[in-house]
Amino acid sequence: QVQLVESGGGSAQAGGSLRLSCALFGYAYISYSMAWFRQAPGKEREGVAAINTNGLITYADSVKGRFTISQLSAKNTLYLEMNSLKPEDTAMYYCAAYPGPRAQGSMLLRQEYGYWGQGTQVTVSS
């Protein structure tokens, strides 16, 4: 059984910063590809940033240069450092995981991940 628990959401003003965390509870002998997704009201869930089992990282164009995804060496905790926040970053943010590698071109696709957290809300005011 794999469980993902997000934390760190909250409110910030435009230009501010927030840091999200995701703790993965699963099988210690398996490496997971992990990612952050977000979903704003009335919109589809979209990939924000992802890290593959081999350390490859990819970002959505909308967050490049502002967000940084990272992982503890034990690979059981995932982070998303969000800087220069914009009101359009307001959304529920979800952590996702898959037990194995993902193709580089698929790392930000929702259907590539089978495990999901409950989400943490991020609200950015102008």
Coordinates of all heavy atoms in Angstrom, one line a residue, residues 12-93:
A12 N -0.4 33.2 0.1 CA 0.8 34.1 -0.1 C 0.3 35.2 -1.0 O -0.7 35.1 -1.7 CB 1.9 33.3 -0.7
Q13 N 1.1 36.3 -0.9 CA 0.8 37.4 -1.8 C 1.6 37.2 -3.1 O 2.6 36.5 -3.1 CB 1.2 38.7 -1.2 CG 0.2 39.1 0.0 CD 0.4 40.6 0.4 OE1 1.5 41.1 0.3 NE2 -0.7 41.2 0.9
A14 N 1.2 37.8 -4.2 CA 1.9 37.8 -5.4 C 3.3 38.2 -5.2 O 3.6 39.2 -4.5 CB 1.2 38.6 -6.5
G15 N 4.2 37.4 -5.8 CA 5.7 37.7 -5.6 C 6.3 36.9 -4.4 O 7.5 36.9 -4.3
G16 N 5.4 36.3 -3.6 CA 5.9 35.6 -2.4 C 6.3 34.1 -2.8 O 6.3 33.7 -3.9
S17 N 6.5 33.4 -1.7 CA 7.0 32.0 -1.8 C 6.3 31.1 -0.9 O 5.8 31.5 0.2 CB 8.5 32.0 -1.5 OG 9.3 32.8 -2.4
L18 N 6.2 29.8 -1.3 CA 5.7 28.8 -0.5 C 6.5 27.5 -0.8 O 7.0 27.4 -1.9 CB 4.2 28.5 -0.7 CG 3.2 29.5 -0.2 CD1 1.8 29.2 -0.7 CD2 3.2 29.5 1.3
R19 N 6.5 26.6 0.2 CA 7.2 25.3 -0.1 C 6.2 24.2 0.3 O 5.7 24.1 1.4 CB 8.4 25.2 0.8 CG 9.3 24.0 0.5 CD 10.4 23.8 1.5 NE 11.4 22.9 1.1 CZ 12.2 22.3 2.0 NH1 12.1 22.4 3.3 NH2 13.2 21.5 1.5
L20 N 6.0 23.3 -0.7 CA 5.2 22.1 -0.4 C 6.0 20.9 -0.2 O 7.1 20.8 -0.7 CB 4.3 21.9 -1.7 CG 3.4 23.0 -2.2 CD1 2.6 22.6 -3.3 CD2 2.6 23.6 -1.0
S21 N 5.5 20.0 0.7 CA 6.2 18.8 0.9 C 5.2 17.6 0.7 O 4.0 17.8 0.8 CB 6.7 18.7 2.4 OG 7.6 19.8 2.7
C22 N 5.8 16.5 0.3 CA 5.0 15.3 0.1 C 5.8 14.1 0.7 O 6.9 13.8 0.2 CB 4.7 15.1 -1.4 SG 4.0 13.5 -1.8
A23 N 5.2 13.4 1.6 CA 5.8 12.2 2.2 C 5.2 11.0 1.6 O 4.0 10.9 1.5 CB 5.6 12.2 3.7
L24 N 6.1 10.1 1.1 CA 5.6 8.9 0.5 C 5.8 7.7 1.5 O 6.9 7.5 2.0 CB 6.4 8.6 -0.8 CG 6.0 7.4 -1.6 CD1 6.2 7.6 -3.1 CD2 6.7 6.1 -1.2
F25 N 4.8 7.0 1.7 CA 4.9 5.8 2.6 C 4.6 4.6 1.7 O 3.4 4.5 1.2 CB 3.9 5.9 3.7 CG 4.1 7.1 4.6 CD1 3.4 8.3 4.4 CD2 5.0 7.0 5.6 CE1 3.6 9.4 5.2 CE2 5.2 8.1 6.5 CZ 4.5 9.3 6.2
G26 N 5.6 3.8 1.4 CA 5.4 2.7 0.5 C 6.4 1.6 0.7 O 6.9 1.5 1.8
Y27 N 6.8 0.9 -0.4 CA 7.8 -0.2 -0.3 C 9.2 0.4 -0.4 O 9.5 1.0 -1.4 CB 7.5 -1.2 -1.4 CG 6.1 -1.8 -1.3 CD1 5.1 -1.4 -2.1 CD2 5.8 -2.8 -0.3 CE1 3.8 -1.9 -2.0 CE2 4.6 -3.3 -0.2 CZ 3.6 -2.9 -1.0 OH 2.3 -3.4 -0.9
A28 N 10.0 0.2 0.6 CA 11.3 0.8 0.6 C 12.2 0.4 -0.5 O 13.1 1.1 -0.9 CB 12.0 0.5 2.0
Y29 N 12.0 -0.8 -1.1 CA 12.9 -1.3 -2.1 C 12.5 -0.9 -3.5 O 13.1 -1.3 -4.5 CB 13.0 -2.8 -2.0 CG 11.6 -3.5 -2.1 CD1 11.0 -3.8 -3.3 CD2 10.9 -3.8 -0.9 CE1 9.8 -4.4 -3.4 CE2 9.7 -4.4 -1.0 CZ 9.1 -4.8 -2.2 OH 7.9 -5.4 -2.3
I30 N 11.5 -0.1 -3.6 CA 11.0 0.4 -5.0 C 11.4 1.9 -5.1 O 11.2 2.6 -4.2 CB 9.5 0.2 -5.1 CG1 9.2 -1.3 -5.1 CG2 9.0 0.8 -6.4 CD1 7.7 -1.6 -5.1
S31 N 11.8 2.2 -6.3 CA 12.0 3.6 -6.6 C 10.8 4.2 -7.3 O 10.3 3.5 -8.2 CB 13.3 3.8 -7.5 OG 14.5 3.5 -6.8
Y32 N 10.4 5.4 -7.0 CA 9.2 6.0 -7.5 C 9.5 7.2 -8.4 O 10.3 8.0 -7.9 CB 8.2 6.3 -6.4 CG 7.7 5.2 -5.6 CD1 8.4 4.6 -4.6 CD2 6.5 4.6 -5.9 CE1 7.9 3.6 -3.8 CE2 6.0 3.6 -5.2 CZ 6.7 3.0 -4.2 OH 6.2 2.0 -3.5
S33 N 8.9 7.3 -9.5 CA 8.8 8.6 -10.2 C 7.7 9.4 -9.5 O 6.7 8.9 -9.1 CB 8.4 8.4 -11.7 OG 9.4 7.7 -12.4
M34 N 8.0 10.7 -9.2 CA 7.1 11.5 -8.5 C 6.9 12.8 -9.2 O 7.7 13.3 -9.9 CB 7.6 11.7 -7.1 CG 7.8 10.4 -6.3 SD 8.2 10.7 -4.6 CE 6.7 11.4 -3.9
A35 N 5.7 13.4 -8.9 CA 5.4 14.7 -9.6 C 4.4 15.5 -8.8 O 3.8 15.0 -7.8 CB 4.7 14.3 -10.9
W36 N 4.3 16.8 -9.1 CA 3.3 17.7 -8.5 C 2.4 18.1 -9.7 O 2.8 18.4 -10.8 CB 4.0 18.9 -8.0 CG 4.8 18.7 -6.7 CD1 6.1 18.6 -6.6 CD2 4.2 18.6 -5.4 NE1 6.4 18.4 -5.3 CE2 5.3 18.4 -4.5 CE3 2.9 18.7 -4.9 CZ2 5.1 18.3 -3.2 CZ3 2.8 18.6 -3.5 CH2 3.8 18.4 -2.7
F37 N 1.1 18.0 -9.3 CA 0.0 18.5 -10.2 C -0.8 19.5 -9.5 O -0.7 19.7 -8.3 CB -0.9 17.3 -10.6 CG -0.3 16.3 -11.6 CD1 0.7 15.4 -11.2 CD2 -0.7 16.3 -12.9 CE1 1.2 14.5 -12.1 CE2 -0.2 15.4 -13.8 CZ 0.8 14.5 -13.4
R38 N -1.6 20.3 -10.3 CA -2.4 21.2 -9.6 C -3.7 21.3 -10.4 O -3.8 21.0 -11.6 CB -1.8 22.6 -9.6 CG -1.5 23.3 -10.9 CD -0.8 24.6 -10.7 NE -0.5 25.3 -11.9 CZ 0.2 26.4 -12.0 NH1 0.8 26.9 -11.0 NH2 0.4 27.0 -13.2
Q39 N -4.8 21.7 -9.7 CA -6.1 21.8 -10.3 C -6.8 23.0 -9.7 O -7.1 23.1 -8.5 CB -6.9 20.6 -10.1 CG -8.2 20.5 -10.8 CD -8.9 19.2 -10.8 OE1 -8.5 18.3 -10.0 NE2 -9.8 19.0 -11.7
A40 N -7.1 24.0 -10.6 CA -7.8 25.2 -10.2 C -9.3 24.9 -10.4 O -9.7 24.0 -11.3 CB -7.4 26.4 -11.0
P41 N -10.2 25.6 -9.8 CA -11.6 25.4 -9.9 C -12.0 25.5 -11.4 O -11.7 26.5 -12.1 CB -12.2 26.5 -9.1 CG -11.2 26.8 -8.0 CD -9.9 26.6 -8.7
G42 N -12.8 24.5 -11.9 CA -13.3 24.6 -13.2 C -12.3 24.2 -14.3 O -12.6 24.3 -15.5
K43 N -11.1 23.8 -13.9 CA -10.0 23.5 -14.8 C -9.5 22.1 -14.7 O -9.8 21.4 -13.7 CB -8.8 24.5 -14.7 CG -9.1 25.9 -15.1 CD -7.9 26.8 -15.1 CE -8.2 28.2 -15.5 NZ -7.0 29.0 -15.6
E44 N -8.9 21.6 -15.7 CA -8.3 20.2 -15.7 C -7.1 20.2 -14.8 O -6.4 21.2 -14.6 CB -7.9 19.8 -17.1 CG -9.0 19.6 -18.1 CD -9.9 18.4 -17.7 OE1 -9.3 17.4 -17.4 OE2 -11.1 18.5 -17.9
R45 N -6.8 19.0 -14.2 CA -5.6 18.8 -13.4 C -4.4 18.9 -14.4 O -4.4 18.1 -15.4 CB -5.7 17.5 -12.6 CG -4.6 17.4 -11.6 CD -4.8 16.2 -10.7 NE -6.0 16.3 -10.0 CZ -6.4 15.5 -9.0 NH1 -5.6 14.4 -8.7 NH2 -7.5 15.6 -8.4
E46 N -3.4 19.6 -14.0 CA -2.2 19.8 -14.9 C -1.0 19.5 -14.2 O -0.8 19.7 -13.0 CB -2.2 21.2 -15.5 CG -2.0 22.3 -14.5 CD -1.8 23.7 -15.1 OE1 -1.8 23.8 -16.3 OE2 -1.7 24.6 -14.3
G47 N 0.0 18.9 -14.9 CA 1.3 18.6 -14.4 C 2.1 19.9 -14.2 O 2.1 20.8 -15.1
V48 N 2.8 20.0 -13.1 CA 3.6 21.2 -12.7 C 5.1 20.9 -12.8 O 5.8 21.6 -13.5 CB 3.2 21.7 -11.3 CG1 4.1 22.9 -10.9 CG2 1.8 22.1 -11.3
A49 N 5.5 19.8 -12.2 CA 6.9 19.4 -12.1 C 7.0 18.0 -11.8 O 6.1 17.4 -11.1 CB 7.7 20.3 -11.1
A50 N 8.0 17.3 -12.3 CA 8.1 15.9 -12.1 C 9.6 15.5 -12.0 O 10.5 16.2 -12.6 CB 7.5 15.1 -13.2
I51 N 9.9 14.4 -11.3 CA 11.2 13.9 -11.2 C 11.2 12.4 -11.4 O 10.4 11.7 -10.7 CB 11.9 14.3 -9.8 CG1 13.3 13.8 -9.8 CG2 11.1 13.8 -8.6 CD1 14.1 14.5 -8.6
N52 N 12.0 11.9 -12.3 CA 12.0 10.5 -12.6 C 12.9 9.7 -11.7 O 13.6 10.3 -10.9 CB 12.5 10.3 -14.1 CG 11.8 9.2 -14.8 OD1 11.3 8.3 -14.1 ND2 11.8 9.2 -16.1
T53 N 12.8 8.4 -11.8 CA 13.6 7.5 -10.9 C 15.1 7.7 -11.2 O 16.0 7.4 -10.3 CB 13.3 6.0 -11.1 OG1 13.4 5.7 -12.5 CG2 11.9 5.8 -10.6
N54 N 15.5 8.2 -12.4 CA 16.9 8.4 -12.7 C 17.3 9.9 -12.4 O 18.5 10.2 -12.8 CB 17.2 8.0 -14.1 CG 16.4 8.8 -15.1 OD1 15.7 9.8 -14.7 ND2 16.4 8.5 -16.4
G55 N 16.5 10.6 -11.8 CA 16.8 12.0 -11.4 C 16.4 13.0 -12.5 O 16.6 14.2 -12.3
L56 N 15.9 12.6 -13.6 CA 15.5 13.6 -14.7 C 14.3 14.4 -14.2 O 13.4 13.9 -13.6 CB 15.1 12.8 -15.9 CG 14.7 13.7 -17.1 CD1 15.9 14.4 -17.7 CD2 14.1 12.8 -18.2
I57 N 14.4 15.7 -14.4 CA 13.4 16.7 -13.9 C 12.8 17.4 -15.1 O 13.5 17.7 -16.1 CB 14.0 17.7 -12.9 CG1 14.4 17.0 -11.6 CG2 13.1 18.8 -12.7 CD1 15.1 17.8 -10.6
T58 N 11.5 17.6 -15.0 CA 10.9 18.4 -16.1 C 9.8 19.3 -15.4 O 9.3 19.0 -14.3 CB 10.2 17.5 -17.1 OG1 9.7 18.3 -18.2 CG2 9.0 16.8 -16.5
Y59 N 9.6 20.5 -16.0 CA 8.7 21.5 -15.5 C 7.7 21.9 -16.6 O 8.0 21.9 -17.8 CB 9.4 22.8 -15.1 CG 10.3 22.6 -13.9 CD1 11.7 22.4 -14.1 CD2 9.9 22.6 -12.6 CE1 12.6 22.2 -13.0 CE2 10.7 22.4 -11.5 CZ 12.1 22.2 -11.7 OH 12.9 22.1 -10.7
A60 N 6.5 22.3 -16.2 CA 5.6 22.9 -17.1 C 6.1 24.3 -17.4 O 6.8 25.0 -16.6 CB 4.2 23.1 -16.4
D61 N 5.9 24.8 -18.7 CA 6.4 26.1 -19.1 C 5.9 27.2 -18.2 O 6.7 28.2 -17.9 CB 5.9 26.4 -20.5 CG 6.6 25.5 -21.5 OD1 7.7 24.9 -21.2 OD2 6.1 25.4 -22.7
S62 N 4.7 27.1 -17.6 CA 4.2 28.1 -16.8 C 4.9 28.4 -15.5 O 4.7 29.4 -14.9 CB 2.7 27.8 -16.5 OG 2.6 26.6 -15.9
V63 N 5.7 27.4 -15.1 CA 6.4 27.5 -13.8 C 7.9 27.5 -13.9 O 8.6 27.7 -12.9 CB 6.0 26.4 -12.8 CG1 4.4 26.4 -12.6 CG2 6.5 25.1 -13.2
K64 N 8.4 27.3 -15.1 CA 9.9 27.3 -15.3 C 10.5 28.5 -14.8 O 10.1 29.7 -15.1 CB 10.2 27.1 -16.8 CG 10.1 25.6 -17.2 CD 10.5 25.5 -18.7 CE 10.3 24.1 -19.2 NZ 10.6 24.0 -20.7
G65 N 11.6 28.4 -14.0 CA 12.3 29.5 -13.5 C 11.8 30.1 -12.2 O 12.4 30.9 -11.5
R66 N 10.6 29.6 -11.8 CA 9.9 30.0 -10.6 C 9.8 28.9 -9.6 O 9.9 29.1 -8.3 CB 8.6 30.6 -10.8 CG 8.6 31.8 -11.8 CD 7.2 32.4 -11.9 NE 6.2 31.6 -12.4 CZ 5.1 31.2 -11.7 NH1 4.9 31.7 -10.5 NH2 4.2 30.4 -12.2
F67 N 9.5 27.7 -10.0 CA 9.3 26.5 -9.1 C 10.5 25.6 -9.2 O 11.1 25.4 -10.3 CB 8.1 25.8 -9.5 CG 6.8 26.5 -9.2 CD1 6.7 27.8 -8.9 CD2 5.6 25.8 -9.3 CE1 5.5 28.5 -8.6 CE2 4.4 26.4 -9.1 CZ 4.4 27.8 -8.7
T68 N 10.8 24.9 -8.1 CA 11.9 23.9 -8.1 C 11.4 22.7 -7.4 O 11.0 22.8 -6.2 CB 13.1 24.5 -7.4 OG1 13.6 25.7 -8.0 CG2 14.3 23.5 -7.4
I69 N 11.5 21.6 -8.1 CA 11.2 20.3 -7.5 C 12.5 19.6 -7.0 O 13.5 19.7 -7.6 CB 10.5 19.4 -8.5 CG1 9.9 18.1 -7.8 CG2 11.4 19.0 -9.7 CD1 9.0 17.3 -8.7
S70 N 12.4 19.0 -5.8 CA 13.5 18.3 -5.3 C 13.1 17.1 -4.5 O 11.9 17.0 -4.1 CB 14.4 19.2 -4.5 OG 13.7 19.7 -3.4
Q71 N 14.0 16.2 -4.1 CA 13.7 15.0 -3.5 C 14.8 14.7 -2.5 O 16.0 14.9 -2.8 CB 13.6 13.9 -4.5 CG 12.9 12.7 -4.1 CD 12.7 11.8 -5.4 OE1 13.6 11.7 -6.2 NE2 11.6 11.0 -5.4
L72 N 14.5 14.2 -1.3 CA 15.5 13.8 -0.3 C 16.2 12.6 -0.9 O 15.6 11.8 -1.7 CB 14.8 13.4 1.0 CG 14.5 14.5 2.0 CD1 13.9 13.9 3.2 CD2 15.8 15.3 2.3
S73 N 17.4 12.4 -0.5 CA 18.2 11.3 -1.0 C 17.6 9.9 -0.8 O 17.7 9.0 -1.5 CB 19.6 11.3 -0.4 OG 19.6 11.2 1.0
A74 N 16.8 9.8 0.3 CA 16.1 8.6 0.6 C 14.9 8.4 -0.3 O 14.3 7.4 -0.3 CB 15.6 8.6 2.0
K75 N 14.6 9.4 -1.1 CA 13.5 9.4 -2.1 C 12.1 9.1 -1.5 O 11.3 8.6 -2.1 CB 13.8 8.4 -3.2 CG 15.0 8.8 -4.0 CD 15.2 7.9 -5.2 CE 16.5 8.4 -6.0 NZ 16.7 7.5 -7.2
N76 N 12.0 9.5 -0.2 CA 10.7 9.3 0.4 C 10.0 10.6 0.7 O 8.9 10.6 1.2 CB 10.8 8.4 1.6 CG 11.6 9.1 2.7 OD1 12.3 10.1 2.4 ND2 11.6 8.6 3.9
T77 N 10.6 11.7 0.4 CA 10.0 13.0 0.5 C 10.3 13.9 -0.7 O 11.4 14.0 -1.2 CB 10.6 13.7 1.8 OG1 10.4 12.9 2.9 CG2 9.8 15.0 2.0
L78 N 9.2 14.5 -1.2 CA 9.3 15.3 -2.4 C 8.9 16.7 -2.0 O 8.1 16.9 -1.1 CB 8.3 14.8 -3.4 CG 8.3 15.5 -4.8 CD1 9.5 15.1 -5.6 CD2 7.0 15.1 -5.5
Y79 N 9.6 17.7 -2.6 CA 9.4 19.1 -2.3 C 9.1 19.9 -3.5 O 9.5 19.5 -4.6 CB 10.6 19.7 -1.6 CG 11.0 19.1 -0.3 CD1 12.1 18.2 -0.3 CD2 10.4 19.4 0.9 CE1 12.5 17.6 0.9 CE2 10.7 18.8 2.1 CZ 11.8 17.9 2.1 OH 12.2 17.3 3.2
L80 N 8.4 21.0 -3.3 CA 8.1 21.9 -4.4 C 8.3 23.3 -3.9 O 7.5 23.8 -3.0 CB 6.8 21.8 -5.1 CG 6.5 22.7 -6.3 CD1 7.4 22.2 -7.5 CD2 5.1 22.7 -6.7
E81 N 9.4 23.9 -4.2 CA 9.7 25.3 -3.8 C 9.1 26.2 -4.8 O 9.4 26.2 -6.0 CB 11.2 25.5 -3.7 CG 11.6 26.9 -3.1 CD 11.5 26.9 -1.6 OE1 11.7 25.9 -1.0 OE2 11.1 28.0 -1.1
M82 N 8.2 27.1 -4.4 CA 7.5 28.0 -5.3 C 7.8 29.4 -5.0 O 7.5 29.9 -3.9 CB 6.0 27.7 -5.2 CG 5.6 26.3 -5.4 SD 3.8 26.1 -5.4 CE 3.4 26.5 -3.7
N83 N 8.5 30.1 -5.9 CA 8.9 31.5 -5.8 C 8.2 32.3 -6.8 O 7.6 31.8 -7.8 CB 10.4 31.6 -5.9 CG 11.1 30.9 -4.9 OD1 10.8 30.9 -3.7 ND2 12.2 30.1 -5.3
S84 N 8.2 33.6 -6.6 CA 7.6 34.6 -7.5 C 6.1 34.2 -7.9 O 5.7 34.1 -9.0 CB 8.4 34.7 -8.8 OG 9.7 35.1 -8.5
L85 N 5.4 33.8 -6.8 CA 4.1 33.3 -7.0 C 3.1 34.3 -7.7 O 3.3 35.6 -7.5 CB 3.5 32.9 -5.7 CG 4.0 31.6 -5.1 CD1 3.6 31.4 -3.7 CD2 3.4 30.4 -5.9
K86 N 2.2 33.8 -8.5 CA 1.3 34.6 -9.2 C -0.1 34.2 -8.8 O -0.4 33.0 -8.5 CB 1.4 34.5 -10.7 CG 2.8 34.8 -11.2 CD 2.9 34.5 -12.7 CE 4.3 34.8 -13.3 NZ 4.4 34.5 -14.7
P87 N -1.1 35.1 -9.0 CA -2.5 34.7 -8.6 C -3.0 33.4 -9.4 O -3.7 32.6 -8.9 CB -3.3 35.9 -9.0 CG -2.4 37.1 -8.8 CD -1.0 36.5 -9.2
E88 N -2.5 33.3 -10.7 CA -2.8 32.1 -11.5 C -2.2 30.8 -11.0 O -2.6 29.8 -11.5 CB -2.5 32.4 -12.9 CG -1.0 32.8 -13.2 CD -0.9 34.3 -13.3 OE1 -1.6 35.1 -12.5 OE2 -0.2 34.8 -14.3
D89 N -1.4 30.9 -10.0 CA -0.8 29.7 -9.4 C -1.8 29.1 -8.3 O -1.6 28.0 -7.8 CB 0.5 29.9 -8.7 CG 1.6 30.3 -9.7 OD1 1.6 29.7 -10.7 OD2 2.4 31.2 -9.4
T90 N -2.9 29.9 -8.0 CA -3.9 29.4 -7.1 C -4.5 28.1 -7.5 O -5.1 28.1 -8.7 CB -4.9 30.5 -6.9 OG1 -4.3 31.7 -6.3 CG2 -6.0 30.0 -6.0
A91 N -4.5 27.1 -6.7 CA -5.0 25.8 -7.1 C -4.8 24.8 -5.9 O -4.1 25.1 -4.9 CB -4.3 25.2 -8.3
M92 N -5.5 23.7 -6.0 CA -5.2 22.6 -5.2 C -4.0 21.8 -5.8 O -4.0 21.5 -7.0 CB -6.4 21.6 -5.1 CG -6.2 20.5 -4.1 SD -6.2 21.1 -2.4 CE -8.0 21.3 -2.2
Y93 N -3.0 21.6 -5.0 CA -1.7 20.9 -5.4 C -1.7 19.5 -4.9 O -1.9 19.3 -3.8 CB -0.5 21.7 -5.0 CG -0.3 22.9 -5.8 CD1 -1.1 24.1 -5.7 CD2 0.8 23.0 -6.7 CE1 -0.9 25.2 -6.4 CE2 1.0 24.1 -7.5 CZ 0.2 25.2 -7.3 OH 0.4 26.4 -8.1

